[in-house]
């Protein structure tokens, strides 16, 4: 019984991470209009916010956070990722966010240690 509880406590909780990503993006981009000069700052802020909030969950994980912001102009964007991990504990979450002027795709990977 204790092993099951320990496994659950150490598991990647996708719903919590999904909410963290959405809230981090909203706090930076909610009322923003795409501005090329600000994209570097915005991506850094989103990544830092996600990292700070996921580590605050106090789970035994190493986190990797990526963020791409792209202007809405009709161009395509294709991304892919692959991981070799333990499906029982590790996980990832990707959020695709958009407004009238831009897309933001943010991914958090959580790898138990």
């Amino acid at each position: 019984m204790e092993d099951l509880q320990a496994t659950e406590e150490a598991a990647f909780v996708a719903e919590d991470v999904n909410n963290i990503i959405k809230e981090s993006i909203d706090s930076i981009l909610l009322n923003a209009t795409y501005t090329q000069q600000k994209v570097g700052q915005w991506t850094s802020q989103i990544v830092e916010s996600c990292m700070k909030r996921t580590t605050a969950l106090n789970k035994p994980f190493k986190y990797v956070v990526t963020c791409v912001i792209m202007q809405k102009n009709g161009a395509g964007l294709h991304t892919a990722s692959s991981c070799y991990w333990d499906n029982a504990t590790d996980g990832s979450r990707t959020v695709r966010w958009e407004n009238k002027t831009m897309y933001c795709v943010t991914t958090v990977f959580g790898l138990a240690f």
Side-chain angles (χ1 to χ4, degrees):
M1 185 67 160
E2 288 180 21
D3 288 342
L4 178 61
Q5 185 177 7
T7 300
E8 288 175 359
E9 289 176 4
F12 185 86
V13 183
E15 188 174 320
D16 291 347
V17 175
N18 199 68
N19 291 336
I20 286 170
I21 297 169
K22 285 181 181 178
E23 291 167 7
S24 295
I25 295 170
D26 281 342
S27 72
I28 307 299
L29 299 180
L30 188 61
N31 297 312
T33 300
Y34 182 86
T35 307
Q36 182 179 350
Q37 293 80 8
K38 293 185 179 179
V39 171
Q41 175 186 349
W42 289 337
T43 55
S44 293
Q45 289 174 325
I46 291 167
V47 167
E48 289 171 15
S49 176
C50 288
M51 188 65 73
K52 183 182 288 186
R53 295 188 60 200
T54 52
T55 56
L57 295 172
N58 292 319
K59 300 267 188 174
F61 284 94
K62 293 180 182 179
Y63 294 101
V64 177
V65 182
T66 66
C67 180
V68 174
I69 295 176
M70 182 176 157
Q71 183 178 15
K72 273 191 177 178
N73 63 5
L77 173 68
H78 300 272
T79 64
S81 63
S82 178
C83 298
Y84 180 74
W85 61 26
D86 182 349
N87 288 329
T89 56
D90 303 339
S92 69
R93 209 64 184 157
T94 299
V95 171
R96 179 182 171 269
W97 180 98
E98 66 181 279
N99 66 13
K100 291 181 179 184
T101 63
M102 66 183 128
Y103 297 103
C104 177
V105 180
T106 303
T107 301
V108 174
F109 299 91
L111 306 160
F113 58 87

